[in-house]
Amino acid sequence: MRQPLVAGNWKMNGSRASIAELLGGLKAGIGQVTAAEVAVCAPAVYIADVQSQLDGTSIKWGGQDVSVYESGAYTGEIAGSMLADFGCHFVIIGHSERRAYHGETDEVVAQKFTAARAAGLVPILCVGETLEEREQGITEEVVGRQLDAAIKHCGIAMVGEGVIAYEPVWAIGTGKTATPEMAQAVHAFIRGRLASNDQAVADVVRVLYGGSMNPKNAAELVAQADIDGGLIGGASLKPDDFLAVCSAANS
Ligand code: 13P
């Protein structure tokens, strides 16, 4: 059995005050979420605050990106060891916003996956097609290419130490969710691609859905055989909504 995982991706949102309020709300309600693993991925400058507020709770935390480098003259970059230094458990890798706005290629994303593992972090590898790619009927080709790049660079055993997040780009922040059936089809494809490399890895790796997941649609999505939780953007900024998604995944 794969333990469900719900991770919040706060993206570039919040302030010290709003984050303290959000975490206060999460801590007050998280006691009901006993089966699912829960995490929040914060903007880097707030990770120290998050650590001090979540230390000793069941909620884990993580970063939203990591450098491919270990240290050195890379202005603005944040090394995996730095995230680990602040107690991060997870780090998001290859989010479509980083691929689109920061030119991250499949190769760079794979290097980041390796860098995260070298620092002992659990990478959450994001894959997903754009609307144009879906309309062209090349969703599996795109997602397969993104996954294969990580498997080729890192090896299937290392990919097995991470988490995959299927985030159709057209569903992110748009209010348009993939139907449970559409999402399940891609999740099954992802698991099949992992299985063709190593069945044991495919059995244990969690594949999360991300893209306008919210309290209304979460239960139906996580009920699908190959959907093991969610990577939540907008709804992770409201304690009640995030906790409701966590509860839906809590079985
Ligand atoms: P939304 O939940 O806001 O659509 O964002 C999803 C996402 O990009 C999570 O990484």
Side-chain angles (χ1 to χ4, degrees):
M1 257 317 273
R2 296 179 292 270
Q3 185 187 18
L5 168 64
V6 179
N9 174 9
W10 293 348
K11 308 193 180 184
M12 198 174 74
N13 291 294
S15 62
R16 295 188 83 180
S18 73
I19 286 170
E21 203 179 317
L22 171 55
L23 292 177
L26 294 185
K27 286 197 283 187
I30 201 67
Q32 301 152 21
V33 184
T34 47
E37 190 174 26
V38 174
V40 293
C41 294
V45 291
Y46 295 130
I47 289 174
D49 278 12
V50 171
Q51 178 184 34
S52 71
Q53 288 166 69
L54 292 184
D55 223 4
T57 73
S58 62
I59 307 172
K60 297 186 170 89
W61 58 94
Q64 299 176 4
D65 180 37
V66 68
S67 175
V68 300
Y69 304 109
E70 283 178 28
S71 66
Y74 302 105
T75 303
E77 291 283 278
I78 293 175
S81 62
M82 297 172 179
L83 296 174
D85 218 4
F86 285 88
C88 287
H89 185 81
F90 293 103
V91 64
I92 298 169
I93 303 281
H95 192 279
S96 61
E97 287 149 16
R98 295 216 54 91
R99 293 178 190 260
Y101 309 143
H102 301 274
E104 291 191 9
T105 60
D106 291 338
E107 176 64 18
V108 165
V109 172
Q111 287 172 13
K112 290 188 171 197
F113 196 105
T114 305
R117 284 307 300 141
L121 303 166
V122 176
I124 301 175
L125 170 68
C126 298
V127 297
E129 81 288 2
T130 62
L131 182 60
E132 199 182 12
E133 289 162 342
R134 175 159 284 266
E135 285 172 349
Q136 285 170 17
I138 58 169
T139 296
E140 292 190 355
E141 193 180 309
V142 170
V143 170
R145 188 200 73 222
Q146 292 169 334
L147 203 53
D148 287 349
I151 294 170
K152 182 164 170 252
H153 180 89
C154 308
I156 186 67
M158 191 190 287
V159 170
E161 294 165 352
V163 173
I164 312 288
Y166 169 56
E167 299 208 313
V169 178
W170 48 270
I172 296 176
T174 57
K176 285 186 206 158
T177 327
T179 64
E181 294 72 26
M182 279 162 86
Q184 166 58 24
V186 182
H187 280 237
F189 167 77
I190 290 170
R191 203 170 305 283
R193 185 60 70 103
L194 294 171
S196 67
N197 286 271
D198 188 328
Q199 182 64 51
V201 166
D203 289 341
V204 299
V205 166
R206 290 173 295 183
V207 185
L208 311 182
Y209 171 79
S212 298
M213 194 162 167
N214 60 44
K216 289 205 180 78
N217 58 30
E220 261 193 317
L221 285 160
V222 298
Q224 303 297 313
D226 291 296
I227 302 184
D228 305 311
L231 184 56
I232 318 299
S236 73
L237 299 170
K238 297 179 197 141
D240 291 349
D241 284 1
F242 188 60
L243 285 167
V245 174
C246 294
S247 295
N250 189 43
S251 59

